[in-house]
Amino acid sequence: MSVDVTPTAERLSPTVGAVVHGVRRDQMVEDPDLPAWFLQALEQYGVLVLREFQIGDEEQVAFSKKLGRVEVFGKGPLPEIFRVTLDPTKNPVAEYLKGTVDWHIDGLTEEIPIMATLLSGHVVSATGGETEFASSYAAYDDLTDHERDTFSRLRVMHTLEAAQRLTVPDPSPEQLRLWRMRPAKEHPLVWTHSSGRKSLVLGATMDHVVGMELEEGRNLLNELLSHATRPARVYRHEWQVGDLVMWDNRGVLHRVLPYSSNSGRDMHRTTLYGDEVIR
Ligand SMILES: [Fe+2]
């Protein structure tokens, strides 16, 4: 079966996000032309929103597999689905998710960060829980020629500890020990993608600029991050039940606004492995 309805993307903000129209649920698994359309649109817009799409877990996994290699979590009938919830009975690592309220890029302490994430809203929080996005391509594009030149030579150390300290400023020795088991990862500040586009590699995991005085480096990184995520550059997704949101983790920073752990908020996530080393 081929495309009988061509999807269209309508921008949600000048630099990031688009809402997708004209796609039916059954097309997601059956239409052979759709994955290429989505991958291109994802790269172009950074975030794609399908409002009240009501995708089921099986369809979400099947569609994700058409876009790339899907990460597997644990066991069970659909191990590709990760429940994003602060309810520890549904998610044993709920405590770690509290760090997602800070701007970040997923997987910066890994060799290759993930490519993209798909999130389907099953239960939404009555207050809070919105997800915000900002383009890290736009963050680079905003720089002056002089800044581009200077920053292209800088390298940044990323650690889990730096991210966790934002929510747990006074960790116990045991917490520190666990965080430090994850090795630090050094990345260039400017990522030159295989497409030729450039983005800034920023977020909660930033620990220090290699070879720069600690405070000076941290001030620079924090300044760049707040510039990249200033309100005019942000798309804030206010969830309705059934919304499907996917984002390109290579060119987008994201965070969730705080919500209560007893809000019931429950998002079903699938994650696509990346194939591009940051260079
Ligand atoms: Fe994340």
Side-chain angles (χ1 to χ4, degrees), residues 149-181:
D149 185 51
T150 310
F151 298 161
S152 69
R153 287 187 289 273
L154 298 184
R155 297 184 66 82
V156 178
M157 197 63 87
H158 292 264
T159 65
L160 176 65
E161 180 181 338
Q164 289 295 320
R165 274 187 185 276
L166 297 171
T167 36
V168 189
D170 287 312
S172 68
E174 177 59 11
Q175 281 174 312
L176 271 179
R177 191 186 66 79
L178 286 172
W179 299 344
R180 288 174 181 170
M181 281 168 68

PDB file of all heavy atoms in Angstrom, residues 149-181:
ATOM      1  N   ASP A 149      33.952  30.544  15.568  1.00  0.00           N
ATOM      2  CA  ASP A 149      35.357  30.194  15.402  1.00  0.00           C
ATOM      3  C   ASP A 149      35.972  29.760  16.738  1.00  0.00           C
ATOM      4  O   ASP A 149      36.620  28.713  16.837  1.00  0.00           O
ATOM      5  CB  ASP A 149      36.097  31.412  14.823  1.00  0.00           C
ATOM      6  CG  ASP A 149      37.535  31.072  14.506  1.00  0.00           C
ATOM      7  OD1 ASP A 149      37.737  30.052  13.812  1.00  0.00           O
ATOM      8  OD2 ASP A 149      38.439  31.792  14.970  1.00  0.00           O
ATOM      9  N   THR A 150      35.713  30.560  17.790  1.00  0.00           N
ATOM     10  CA  THR A 150      36.273  30.249  19.115  1.00  0.00           C
ATOM     11  C   THR A 150      35.716  28.930  19.655  1.00  0.00           C
ATOM     12  O   THR A 150      36.453  28.065  20.114  1.00  0.00           O
ATOM     13  CB  THR A 150      35.921  31.371  20.116  1.00  0.00           C
ATOM     14  OG1 THR A 150      36.280  32.615  19.524  1.00  0.00           O
ATOM     15  CG2 THR A 150      36.659  31.205  21.428  1.00  0.00           C
ATOM     16  N   PHE A 151      34.383  28.776  19.583  1.00  0.00           N
ATOM     17  CA  PHE A 151      33.744  27.619  20.211  1.00  0.00           C
ATOM     18  C   PHE A 151      34.044  26.323  19.462  1.00  0.00           C
ATOM     19  O   PHE A 151      33.944  25.244  20.036  1.00  0.00           O
ATOM     20  CB  PHE A 151      32.230  27.832  20.328  1.00  0.00           C
ATOM     21  CG  PHE A 151      31.837  29.004  21.192  1.00  0.00           C
ATOM     22  CD1 PHE A 151      30.576  29.577  21.093  1.00  0.00           C
ATOM     23  CD2 PHE A 151      32.738  29.526  22.118  1.00  0.00           C
ATOM     24  CE1 PHE A 151      30.228  30.653  21.883  1.00  0.00           C
ATOM     25  CE2 PHE A 151      32.390  30.613  22.916  1.00  0.00           C
ATOM     26  CZ  PHE A 151      31.126  31.173  22.797  1.00  0.00           C
ATOM     27  N   SER A 152      34.383  26.442  18.202  1.00  0.00           N
ATOM     28  CA  SER A 152      34.652  25.218  17.424  1.00  0.00           C
ATOM     29  C   SER A 152      35.906  24.501  17.947  1.00  0.00           C
ATOM     30  O   SER A 152      36.131  23.343  17.638  1.00  0.00           O
ATOM     31  CB  SER A 152      34.823  25.547  15.945  1.00  0.00           C
ATOM     32  OG  SER A 152      36.024  26.274  15.769  1.00  0.00           O
ATOM     33  N   ARG A 153      36.702  25.216  18.774  1.00  0.00           N
ATOM     34  CA  ARG A 153      37.918  24.591  19.319  1.00  0.00           C
ATOM     35  C   ARG A 153      37.723  24.080  20.754  1.00  0.00           C
ATOM     36  O   ARG A 153      38.630  23.489  21.323  1.00  0.00           O
ATOM     37  CB  ARG A 153      39.079  25.593  19.283  1.00  0.00           C
ATOM     38  CG  ARG A 153      39.614  25.848  17.874  1.00  0.00           C
ATOM     39  CD  ARG A 153      40.870  26.704  17.924  1.00  0.00           C
ATOM     40  NE  ARG A 153      40.558  28.070  18.289  1.00  0.00           N
ATOM     41  CZ  ARG A 153      40.210  29.018  17.413  1.00  0.00           C
ATOM     42  NH1 ARG A 153      40.146  28.736  16.131  1.00  0.00           N
ATOM     43  NH2 ARG A 153      39.935  30.240  17.817  1.00  0.00           N
ATOM     44  N   LEU A 154      36.541  24.327  21.337  1.00  0.00           N
ATOM     45  CA  LEU A 154      36.342  23.945  22.747  1.00  0.00           C
ATOM     46  C   LEU A 154      35.758  22.543  22.885  1.00  0.00           C
ATOM     47  O   LEU A 154      34.962  22.107  22.062  1.00  0.00           O
ATOM     48  CB  LEU A 154      35.409  24.951  23.434  1.00  0.00           C
ATOM     49  CG  LEU A 154      35.907  26.391  23.512  1.00  0.00           C
ATOM     50  CD1 LEU A 154      34.910  27.238  24.305  1.00  0.00           C
ATOM     51  CD2 LEU A 154      37.301  26.477  24.131  1.00  0.00           C
ATOM     52  N   ARG A 155      36.206  21.891  23.963  1.00  0.00           N
ATOM     53  CA  ARG A 155      35.667  20.567  24.284  1.00  0.00           C
ATOM     54  C   ARG A 155      35.114  20.590  25.705  1.00  0.00           C
ATOM     55  O   ARG A 155      35.632  21.286  26.580  1.00  0.00           O
ATOM     56  CB  ARG A 155      36.750  19.499  24.133  1.00  0.00           C
ATOM     57  CG  ARG A 155      37.252  19.410  22.685  1.00  0.00           C
ATOM     58  CD  ARG A 155      38.258  18.306  22.493  1.00  0.00           C
ATOM     59  NE  ARG A 155      37.704  16.972  22.673  1.00  0.00           N
ATOM     60  CZ  ARG A 155      37.027  16.304  21.732  1.00  0.00           C
ATOM     61  NH1 ARG A 155      36.807  16.830  20.548  1.00  0.00           N
ATOM     62  NH2 ARG A 155      36.565  15.094  21.981  1.00  0.00           N
ATOM     63  N   VAL A 156      34.039  19.833  25.913  1.00  0.00           N
ATOM     64  CA  VAL A 156      33.315  19.876  27.184  1.00  0.00           C
ATOM     65  C   VAL A 156      33.221  18.464  27.758  1.00  0.00           C
ATOM     66  O   VAL A 156      32.944  17.508  27.038  1.00  0.00           O
ATOM     67  CB  VAL A 156      31.894  20.451  26.962  1.00  0.00           C
ATOM     68  CG1 VAL A 156      31.100  20.452  28.273  1.00  0.00           C
ATOM     69  CG2 VAL A 156      31.969  21.854  26.377  1.00  0.00           C
ATOM     70  N   MET A 157      33.455  18.371  29.071  1.00  0.00           N
ATOM     71  CA  MET A 157      33.305  17.092  29.763  1.00  0.00           C
ATOM     72  C   MET A 157      31.864  16.976  30.275  1.00  0.00           C
ATOM     73  O   MET A 157      31.353  17.901  30.909  1.00  0.00           O
ATOM     74  CB  MET A 157      34.303  17.016  30.919  1.00  0.00           C
ATOM     75  CG  MET A 157      34.521  15.628  31.437  1.00  0.00           C
ATOM     76  SD  MET A 157      35.233  14.526  30.188  1.00  0.00           S
ATOM     77  CE  MET A 157      36.988  14.827  30.417  1.00  0.00           C
ATOM     78  N   HIS A 158      31.231  15.854  29.974  1.00  0.00           N
ATOM     79  CA  HIS A 158      29.859  15.594  30.419  1.00  0.00           C
ATOM     80  C   HIS A 158      29.859  14.453  31.429  1.00  0.00           C
ATOM     81  O   HIS A 158      30.503  13.430  31.206  1.00  0.00           O
ATOM     82  CB  HIS A 158      28.976  15.207  29.231  1.00  0.00           C
ATOM     83  CG  HIS A 158      28.763  16.342  28.277  1.00  0.00           C
ATOM     84  ND1 HIS A 158      27.652  17.152  28.318  1.00  0.00           N
ATOM     85  CD2 HIS A 158      29.554  16.818  27.284  1.00  0.00           C
ATOM     86  CE1 HIS A 158      27.765  18.072  27.370  1.00  0.00           C
ATOM     87  NE2 HIS A 158      28.897  17.901  26.724  1.00  0.00           N
ATOM     88  N   THR A 159      29.125  14.658  32.542  1.00  0.00           N
ATOM     89  CA  THR A 159      29.030  13.596  33.554  1.00  0.00           C
ATOM     90  C   THR A 159      27.588  13.470  34.053  1.00  0.00           C
ATOM     91  O   THR A 159      26.816  14.437  34.051  1.00  0.00           O
ATOM     92  CB  THR A 159      29.922  13.889  34.794  1.00  0.00           C
ATOM     93  OG1 THR A 159      29.414  15.062  35.461  1.00  0.00           O
ATOM     94  CG2 THR A 159      31.381  14.100  34.421  1.00  0.00           C
ATOM     95  N   LEU A 160      27.274  12.251  34.497  1.00  0.00           N
ATOM     96  CA  LEU A 160      25.976  12.021  35.140  1.00  0.00           C
ATOM     97  C   LEU A 160      25.912  12.826  36.438  1.00  0.00           C
ATOM     98  O   LEU A 160      24.879  13.371  36.806  1.00  0.00           O
ATOM     99  CB  LEU A 160      25.812  10.522  35.420  1.00  0.00           C
ATOM    100  CG  LEU A 160      24.550  10.107  36.176  1.00  0.00           C
ATOM    101  CD1 LEU A 160      23.298  10.387  35.347  1.00  0.00           C
ATOM    102  CD2 LEU A 160      24.607   8.640  36.561  1.00  0.00           C
ATOM    103  N   GLU A 161      27.060  12.909  37.129  1.00  0.00           N
ATOM    104  CA  GLU A 161      27.101  13.620  38.415  1.00  0.00           C
ATOM    105  C   GLU A 161      26.676  15.077  38.257  1.00  0.00           C
ATOM    106  O   GLU A 161      25.901  15.597  39.067  1.00  0.00           O
ATOM    107  CB  GLU A 161      28.516  13.540  39.006  1.00  0.00           C
ATOM    108  CG  GLU A 161      28.618  14.253  40.343  1.00  0.00           C
ATOM    109  CD  GLU A 161      30.020  14.217  40.948  1.00  0.00           C
ATOM    110  OE1 GLU A 161      30.816  13.323  40.579  1.00  0.00           O
ATOM    111  OE2 GLU A 161      30.303  15.079  41.794  1.00  0.00           O
ATOM    112  N   ALA A 162      27.164  15.742  37.204  1.00  0.00           N
ATOM    113  CA  ALA A 162      26.807  17.156  36.996  1.00  0.00           C
ATOM    114  C   ALA A 162      25.295  17.299  36.873  1.00  0.00           C
ATOM    115  O   ALA A 162      24.684  18.208  37.452  1.00  0.00           O
ATOM    116  CB  ALA A 162      27.503  17.698  35.753  1.00  0.00           C
ATOM    117  N   ALA A 163      24.673  16.383  36.136  1.00  0.00           N
ATOM    118  CA  ALA A 163      23.214  16.451  35.939  1.00  0.00           C
ATOM    119  C   ALA A 163      22.478  16.167  37.246  1.00  0.00           C
ATOM    120  O   ALA A 163      21.539  16.880  37.612  1.00  0.00           O
ATOM    121  CB  ALA A 163      22.792  15.450  34.866  1.00  0.00           C
ATOM    122  N   GLN A 164      22.922  15.148  37.966  1.00  0.00           N
ATOM    123  CA  GLN A 164      22.224  14.765  39.196  1.00  0.00           C
ATOM    124  C   GLN A 164      22.365  15.831  40.290  1.00  0.00           C
ATOM    125  O   GLN A 164      21.451  16.035  41.075  1.00  0.00           O
ATOM    126  CB  GLN A 164      22.759  13.419  39.704  1.00  0.00           C
ATOM    127  CG  GLN A 164      22.345  12.235  38.825  1.00  0.00           C
ATOM    128  CD  GLN A 164      20.846  11.997  38.817  1.00  0.00           C
ATOM    129  OE1 GLN A 164      20.180  12.100  39.831  1.00  0.00           O
ATOM    130  NE2 GLN A 164      20.298  11.708  37.648  1.00  0.00           N
ATOM    131  N   ARG A 165      23.512  16.512  40.319  1.00  0.00           N
ATOM    132  CA  ARG A 165      23.725  17.534  41.346  1.00  0.00           C
ATOM    133  C   ARG A 165      22.737  18.702  41.232  1.00  0.00           C
ATOM    134  O   ARG A 165      22.492  19.410  42.213  1.00  0.00           O
ATOM    135  CB  ARG A 165      25.157  18.075  41.275  1.00  0.00           C
ATOM    136  CG  ARG A 165      26.162  17.257  42.051  1.00  0.00           C
ATOM    137  CD  ARG A 165      27.509  17.939  42.085  1.00  0.00           C
ATOM    138  NE  ARG A 165      28.529  17.137  42.725  1.00  0.00           N
ATOM    139  CZ  ARG A 165      28.727  17.086  44.054  1.00  0.00           C
ATOM    140  NH1 ARG A 165      27.981  17.802  44.874  1.00  0.00           N
ATOM    141  NH2 ARG A 165      29.685  16.323  44.554  1.00  0.00           N
ATOM    142  N   LEU A 166      22.180  18.891  40.048  1.00  0.00           N
ATOM    143  CA  LEU A 166      21.200  19.975  39.884  1.00  0.00           C
ATOM    144  C   LEU A 166      19.937  19.706  40.695  1.00  0.00           C
ATOM    145  O   LEU A 166      19.283  20.629  41.167  1.00  0.00           O
ATOM    146  CB  LEU A 166      20.844  20.161  38.398  1.00  0.00           C
ATOM    147  CG  LEU A 166      22.006  20.587  37.486  1.00  0.00           C
ATOM    148  CD1 LEU A 166      21.594  20.512  36.028  1.00  0.00           C
ATOM    149  CD2 LEU A 166      22.463  21.998  37.838  1.00  0.00           C
ATOM    150  N   THR A 167      19.587  18.427  40.860  1.00  0.00           N
ATOM    151  CA  THR A 167      18.394  18.103  41.660  1.00  0.00           C
ATOM    152  C   THR A 167      18.753  17.596  43.055  1.00  0.00           C
ATOM    153  O   THR A 167      17.938  17.668  43.962  1.00  0.00           O
ATOM    154  CB  THR A 167      17.506  17.042  40.956  1.00  0.00           C
ATOM    155  OG1 THR A 167      18.353  16.114  40.281  1.00  0.00           O
ATOM    156  CG2 THR A 167      16.556  17.680  39.981  1.00  0.00           C
ATOM    157  N   VAL A 168      19.976  17.055  43.200  1.00  0.00           N
ATOM    158  CA  VAL A 168      20.435  16.572  44.513  1.00  0.00           C
ATOM    159  C   VAL A 168      21.751  17.275  44.838  1.00  0.00           C
ATOM    160  O   VAL A 168      22.828  16.728  44.658  1.00  0.00           O
ATOM    161  CB  VAL A 168      20.636  15.030  44.497  1.00  0.00           C
ATOM    162  CG1 VAL A 168      20.906  14.508  45.907  1.00  0.00           C
ATOM    163  CG2 VAL A 168      19.443  14.311  43.884  1.00  0.00           C
ATOM    164  N   PRO A 169      21.686  18.539  45.325  1.00  0.00           N
ATOM    165  CA  PRO A 169      22.923  19.298  45.542  1.00  0.00           C
ATOM    166  C   PRO A 169      23.796  18.752  46.673  1.00  0.00           C
ATOM    167  O   PRO A 169      24.995  18.995  46.685  1.00  0.00           O
ATOM    168  CB  PRO A 169      22.440  20.720  45.859  1.00  0.00           C
ATOM    169  CG  PRO A 169      20.967  20.662  45.998  1.00  0.00           C
ATOM    170  CD  PRO A 169      20.475  19.320  45.589  1.00  0.00           C
ATOM    171  N   ASP A 170      23.195  18.025  47.625  1.00  0.00           N
ATOM    172  CA  ASP A 170      23.963  17.460  48.742  1.00  0.00           C
ATOM    173  C   ASP A 170      23.879  15.938  48.743  1.00  0.00           C
ATOM    174  O   ASP A 170      23.235  15.341  49.599  1.00  0.00           O
ATOM    175  CB  ASP A 170      23.436  17.992  50.085  1.00  0.00           C
ATOM    176  CG  ASP A 170      23.815  19.441  50.295  1.00  0.00           C
ATOM    177  OD1 ASP A 170      25.007  19.760  50.089  1.00  0.00           O
ATOM    178  OD2 ASP A 170      22.917  20.233  50.626  1.00  0.00           O
ATOM    179  N   PRO A 171      24.569  15.305  47.802  1.00  0.00           N
ATOM    180  CA  PRO A 171      24.433  13.850  47.695  1.00  0.00           C
ATOM    181  C   PRO A 171      25.111  13.112  48.831  1.00  0.00           C
ATOM    182  O   PRO A 171      26.071  13.602  49.419  1.00  0.00           O
ATOM    183  CB  PRO A 171      25.133  13.541  46.363  1.00  0.00           C
ATOM    184  CG  PRO A 171      26.092  14.662  46.165  1.00  0.00           C
ATOM    185  CD  PRO A 171      25.473  15.867  46.785  1.00  0.00           C
ATOM    186  N   SER A 172      24.604  11.927  49.129  1.00  0.00           N
ATOM    187  CA  SER A 172      25.261  11.047  50.109  1.00  0.00           C
ATOM    188  C   SER A 172      26.457  10.397  49.418  1.00  0.00           C
ATOM    189  O   SER A 172      26.513  10.356  48.187  1.00  0.00           O
ATOM    190  CB  SER A 172      24.270   9.967  50.555  1.00  0.00           C
ATOM    191  OG  SER A 172      24.004   9.101  49.471  1.00  0.00           O
ATOM    192  N   PRO A 173      27.418   9.903  50.222  1.00  0.00           N
ATOM    193  CA  PRO A 173      28.560   9.209  49.609  1.00  0.00           C
ATOM    194  C   PRO A 173      28.107   8.067  48.691  1.00  0.00           C
ATOM    195  O   PRO A 173      28.708   7.822  47.653  1.00  0.00           O
ATOM    196  CB  PRO A 173      29.339   8.681  50.815  1.00  0.00           C
ATOM    197  CG  PRO A 173      28.939   9.568  51.951  1.00  0.00           C
ATOM    198  CD  PRO A 173      27.525   9.982  51.687  1.00  0.00           C
ATOM    199  N   GLU A 174      27.027   7.384  49.077  1.00  0.00           N
ATOM    200  CA  GLU A 174      26.523   6.269  48.274  1.00  0.00           C
ATOM    201  C   GLU A 174      25.983   6.762  46.921  1.00  0.00           C
ATOM    202  O   GLU A 174      26.235   6.161  45.874  1.00  0.00           O
ATOM    203  CB  GLU A 174      25.428   5.518  49.056  1.00  0.00           C
ATOM    204  CG  GLU A 174      24.752   4.378  48.328  1.00  0.00           C
ATOM    205  CD  GLU A 174      25.706   3.263  47.882  1.00  0.00           C
ATOM    206  OE1 GLU A 174      26.888   3.256  48.308  1.00  0.00           O
ATOM    207  OE2 GLU A 174      25.272   2.407  47.083  1.00  0.00           O
ATOM    208  N   GLN A 175      25.253   7.885  46.947  1.00  0.00           N
ATOM    209  CA  GLN A 175      24.753   8.453  45.688  1.00  0.00           C
ATOM    210  C   GLN A 175      25.914   8.830  44.770  1.00  0.00           C
ATOM    211  O   GLN A 175      25.917   8.515  43.583  1.00  0.00           O
ATOM    212  CB  GLN A 175      23.881   9.685  45.968  1.00  0.00           C
ATOM    213  CG  GLN A 175      22.473   9.319  46.422  1.00  0.00           C
ATOM    214  CD  GLN A 175      21.679  10.542  46.837  1.00  0.00           C
ATOM    215  OE1 GLN A 175      22.156  11.395  47.601  1.00  0.00           O
ATOM    216  NE2 GLN A 175      20.451  10.654  46.349  1.00  0.00           N
ATOM    217  N   LEU A 176      26.914   9.500  45.376  1.00  0.00           N
ATOM    218  CA  LEU A 176      28.089   9.902  44.589  1.00  0.00           C
ATOM    219  C   LEU A 176      28.792   8.702  43.969  1.00  0.00           C
ATOM    220  O   LEU A 176      29.183   8.729  42.801  1.00  0.00           O
ATOM    221  CB  LEU A 176      29.088  10.633  45.487  1.00  0.00           C
ATOM    222  CG  LEU A 176      28.933  12.144  45.617  1.00  0.00           C
ATOM    223  CD1 LEU A 176      29.997  12.671  46.569  1.00  0.00           C
ATOM    224  CD2 LEU A 176      29.056  12.820  44.255  1.00  0.00           C
ATOM    225  N   ARG A 177      28.904   7.657  44.771  1.00  0.00           N
ATOM    226  CA  ARG A 177      29.588   6.452  44.288  1.00  0.00           C
ATOM    227  C   ARG A 177      28.848   5.890  43.063  1.00  0.00           C
ATOM    228  O   ARG A 177      29.453   5.540  42.053  1.00  0.00           O
ATOM    229  CB  ARG A 177      29.635   5.414  45.412  1.00  0.00           C
ATOM    230  CG  ARG A 177      30.551   4.218  45.126  1.00  0.00           C
ATOM    231  CD  ARG A 177      30.432   3.161  46.229  1.00  0.00           C
ATOM    232  NE  ARG A 177      29.111   2.537  46.267  1.00  0.00           N
ATOM    233  CZ  ARG A 177      28.706   1.578  45.442  1.00  0.00           C
ATOM    234  NH1 ARG A 177      29.505   1.116  44.514  1.00  0.00           N
ATOM    235  NH2 ARG A 177      27.483   1.072  45.548  1.00  0.00           N
ATOM    236  N   LEU A 178      27.510   5.847  43.162  1.00  0.00           N
ATOM    237  CA  LEU A 178      26.713   5.308  42.053  1.00  0.00           C
ATOM    238  C   LEU A 178      26.842   6.183  40.806  1.00  0.00           C
ATOM    239  O   LEU A 178      27.027   5.679  39.700  1.00  0.00           O
ATOM    240  CB  LEU A 178      25.236   5.199  42.455  1.00  0.00           C
ATOM    241  CG  LEU A 178      24.894   4.070  43.416  1.00  0.00           C
ATOM    242  CD1 LEU A 178      23.451   4.187  43.895  1.00  0.00           C
ATOM    243  CD2 LEU A 178      25.109   2.708  42.728  1.00  0.00           C
ATOM    244  N   TRP A 179      26.747   7.512  40.984  1.00  0.00           N
ATOM    245  CA  TRP A 179      26.845   8.415  39.834  1.00  0.00           C
ATOM    246  C   TRP A 179      28.191   8.272  39.139  1.00  0.00           C
ATOM    247  O   TRP A 179      28.288   8.313  37.925  1.00  0.00           O
ATOM    248  CB  TRP A 179      26.675   9.872  40.262  1.00  0.00           C
ATOM    249  CG  TRP A 179      25.347  10.195  40.894  1.00  0.00           C
ATOM    250  CD1 TRP A 179      24.205   9.447  40.863  1.00  0.00           C
ATOM    251  CD2 TRP A 179      25.041  11.362  41.663  1.00  0.00           C
ATOM    252  NE1 TRP A 179      23.206  10.073  41.553  1.00  0.00           N
ATOM    253  CE2 TRP A 179      23.687  11.247  42.059  1.00  0.00           C
ATOM    254  CE3 TRP A 179      25.769  12.485  42.048  1.00  0.00           C
ATOM    255  CZ2 TRP A 179      23.047  12.232  42.822  1.00  0.00           C
ATOM    256  CZ3 TRP A 179      25.139  13.465  42.813  1.00  0.00           C
ATOM    257  CH2 TRP A 179      23.789  13.329  43.190  1.00  0.00           C
ATOM    258  N   ARG A 180      29.245   8.137  39.983  1.00  0.00           N
ATOM    259  CA  ARG A 180      30.599   8.134  39.414  1.00  0.00           C
ATOM    260  C   ARG A 180      30.945   6.809  38.734  1.00  0.00           C
ATOM    261  O   ARG A 180      31.997   6.707  38.102  1.00  0.00           O
ATOM    262  CB  ARG A 180      31.621   8.495  40.497  1.00  0.00           C
ATOM    263  CG  ARG A 180      31.508   9.970  40.834  1.00  0.00           C
ATOM    264  CD  ARG A 180      32.387  10.387  41.989  1.00  0.00           C
ATOM    265  NE  ARG A 180      32.197  11.813  42.257  1.00  0.00           N
ATOM    266  CZ  ARG A 180      32.677  12.442  43.324  1.00  0.00           C
ATOM    267  NH1 ARG A 180      33.385  11.774  44.218  1.00  0.00           N
ATOM    268  NH2 ARG A 180      32.450  13.734  43.494  1.00  0.00           N
ATOM    269  N   MET A 181      30.059   5.828  38.882  1.00  0.00           N
ATOM    270  CA  MET A 181      30.287   4.574  38.152  1.00  0.00           C
ATOM    271  C   MET A 181      30.103   4.793  36.645  1.00  0.00           C
ATOM    272  O   MET A 181      30.633   4.054  35.825  1.00  0.00           O
ATOM    273  CB  MET A 181      29.328   3.490  38.648  1.00  0.00           C
ATOM    274  CG  MET A 181      29.792   2.881  39.966  1.00  0.00           C
ATOM    275  SD  MET A 181      28.538   1.854  40.741  1.00  0.00           S
ATOM    276  CE  MET A 181      28.459   0.494  39.572  1.00  0.00           C
TER     277      MET A 181
END
